[in-house]
Amino acid sequence: MRLYLPRDSVTQALGGEKLAAALKAEAERRGVPLTLTRNGSRGLFWLEPLVELETVAGRLGFGPFTESDIPALFDSPSTHPKALGLVSELPFLKRQQRLTFVRAGLTDPLSLTDYAAHGGWAGLAKARTLTGAEICAEVTKSGLRGRGGAGFPTGIKWETVRKAEAGQKYIVCNADEGDSGSYADRLLIEADPFCLIEGMAIAALAVGATRGHVYLRSEYPNAIAMLGQAIAIATQAGHLDGFHLEVRVGAGSYVCGEETALLESLEGKRGVVRAKPPVPALVGLFGRPTVINNVISLATIPHILADGAEAYAAFGLGHSRGTMPIQLSGNIKHGGLFETAFGITLGELVEDIGGGTASGRPLRAVQAGGPLGAYFAPHQFDILYGYEEYAKAGGLIGHGGLVVFDDRVNMARMARFALEFCAHESCGKCTPCRIGSTRGHELLGRIMAGGGSPQDLALLRELCDTMKSASLCALGGFTPYPVMSALTLFPEDFTALPAAAA
């Protein structure tokens, strides 16, 4: 009997380790030989813990699984009350176009044998037959843009670093995933860490780097341990071929998700945003040319090299090529990771695939792109998922997170939270972010408490314009997005609230 049970953070939080021990104990009590593989999550979080049973027909799913469900699994799997059928046929999975997350949930994350059997190292092998210029050209041709939020063309960044003259260059992976409603980086690292390692090794070949760092947020202890083990295994097996890779753990600062603040932190300094130019591609870590990419950007590279740039670019629309791991969360029935090509509508994502609100109440707003992303209302649900399409609507793709709210949400409170968040997380270097967010939070507080003047809303708009155009980095520059979208779409909420509610 072979079972699969994820070892990722979600399953662990739901008692996965006790469940694994109970499965082994039941098998031993019955004298049933059991192989229990601790795979990664498939990203169907409303079904976790998801236990899978290997059969001739494929892997059968059972979930959400508890210890009380164990005896029936051994007695009669086909009639189990938690039986879901073939996992590969579940609509949430079957509708996806998985390229970057193709192995997530299928393999043992720390098995080199599993990784190779499912196409691992093919991209690196192809890269070793090409010159650095040819690798950069392939990445450029794919149309891959940074999946961390900025959307800058990856191939152009790599080519800049490749052409830079320096005795030492670096590859830095930004895994400081701090956006609310975002978890793709964590899921990828816990489910398929060798994919990220392979992508970074290809980047090193492309630009001539010999050292790499993964900057991982401290709130992800399971991912930190998983990636550390995977690097050791890959290094010992000779897959990195002289490329030295290490994990560095951040202290929990949101602004260190900004690339220059991240570099400051890596150098052992306070995480403060640097003025640009010079750009990190020319003057980056320790003053040397540096490639800085998000986890998903780097983890997508092996597929592009293995299958070719044209195959990847065939997905998507306009200047948004390939696929995006969209993360559905908040008040949503089917929360989880859904990888698909750009071009799907917001309505399809949250109503059809996500199943609408978990509460069953009417859906009022969706925030796209993290805590600094704009809100969208149901009348905007025909917007196509793409960088330019969202920008035209006053929004951001960001890291791919979508957070759903039902009709009980007060949007003025959400706008005030954005300013409060910015004030708390600001590095303090520039005045528009440091002072603007604080004054904006105070201003909204007065409005909601009934003490604001008729000019306060106009002042709030002016303040947001200043932050957007004059802030040194995206923290202050993007904070106006949730504030202004909430004010524009839901003006009725920007009135005095009862004292207790405010």
Side-chain angles (χ1 to χ4, degrees), residues 189 212-217 223-229 231 244-250 266:
I189 290 172
H213 301 272
V214 180
Y215 189 90
L216 235 174
R217 66 186 302 102
I224 293 167
M226 184 76 74
L227 187 57
Q229 293 178 66
I231 290 172
H244 179 78
L245 185 57
E246 61 183 70
V247 176
R248 301 289 293 274
V249 179
L266 269 179

Side-chain angles (χ1 to χ4, degrees), residues 253-264:
S253 168
Y254 181 81
V255 79
C256 285
E258 194 278 336
E259 60 182 14
T260 62
L262 184 154
L263 292 177
E264 291 287 293

Side-chain angles (χ1 to χ4, degrees), residues 165-231:
E165 297 290 338
Q168 178 68 59
K169 298 178 183 180
Y170 295 97
I171 308 298
V172 173
C173 173
N174 183 350
D176 192 57
E177 186 175 51
D179 282 357
S180 52
S182 296
Y183 43 80
D185 292 356
R186 177 197 59 75
L187 195 154
L188 189 285
I189 290 172
E190 294 181 354
D192 194 15
F194 293 126
C195 183
L196 173 59
I197 293 168
E198 183 179 0
M200 294 187 72
I202 293 170
L205 282 176
V207 306
T210 57
R211 300 186 70 86
H213 301 272
V214 180
Y215 189 90
L216 235 174
R217 66 186 302 102
S218 57
E219 291 89 341
Y220 287 169
N222 193 46
I224 293 167
M226 184 76 74
L227 187 57
Q229 293 178 66
I231 290 172

Side-chain angles (χ1 to χ4, degrees), residues 363-367 375-378 381 403-406 409 411 490:
L363 192 155
R364 191 178 190 209
V366 177
Q367 187 175 29
Y375 290 98
F376 292 94
F381 279 8
V403 181
V404 176
F405 301 87
D406 71 13
V409 68
M411 298 308 298
F490 309 99

Side-chain angles (χ1 to χ4, degrees), residues 238-427:
H239 288 291
L240 300 189
D241 193 23
F243 176 53
H244 179 78
L245 185 57
E246 61 183 70
V247 176
R248 301 289 293 274
V249 179
S253 168
Y254 181 81
V255 79
C256 285
E258 194 278 336
E259 60 182 14
T260 62
L262 184 154
L263 292 177
E264 291 287 293
S265 180
L266 269 179
E267 292 176 3
K269 305 171 188 174
R270 179 169 171 252
V272 176
V273 175
R274 297 176 182 174
K276 293 186 283 189
V279 295
L282 298 176
V283 182
L285 186 62
F286 301 114
R288 303 301 175 88
T290 303
V291 167
I292 307 180
N293 281 131
N294 161 264
V295 170
I296 306 306
S297 305
L298 290 163
T300 300
I301 295 297
H303 170 80
I304 291 172
L305 267 292
D307 287 7
E310 292 86 356
Y312 187 77
F315 293 90
L317 82 162
H319 294 292
S320 303
R321 309 314 308 175
T323 62
M324 186 72 180
I326 300 164
Q327 299 128 86
L328 306 175
S329 62
N331 191 338
I332 193 165
K333 186 176 182 181
H334 296 151
L337 183 137
F338 191 90
E339 183 180 357
T340 190
F342 289 98
I344 192 170
T345 68
L346 184 57
E348 286 179 273
L349 285 167
V350 300
E351 294 181 320
D352 187 7
I353 292 160
T357 63
S359 63
R361 297 178 66 90
L363 192 155
R364 191 178 190 209
V366 177
Q367 187 175 29
L372 309 182
Y375 290 98
F376 292 94
H379 72 269
Q380 298 172 295
F381 279 8
D382 59 346
I383 295 173
L384 298 179
Y385 200 82
Y387 290 103
E388 282 69 34
E389 289 72 19
Y390 269 47
K392 288 176 185 175
L396 304 164
I397 289 290
H399 189 42
L402 295 177
V403 181
V404 176
F405 301 87
D406 71 13
D407 62 348
R408 293 172 293 184
V409 68
N410 180 276
M411 298 308 298
R413 280 205 204 101
M414 301 309 299
R416 187 177 60 173
F417 167 75
L419 289 161
E420 181 181 20
F421 179 84
C422 181
H424 182 269
E425 295 293 343
S426 175
C427 75

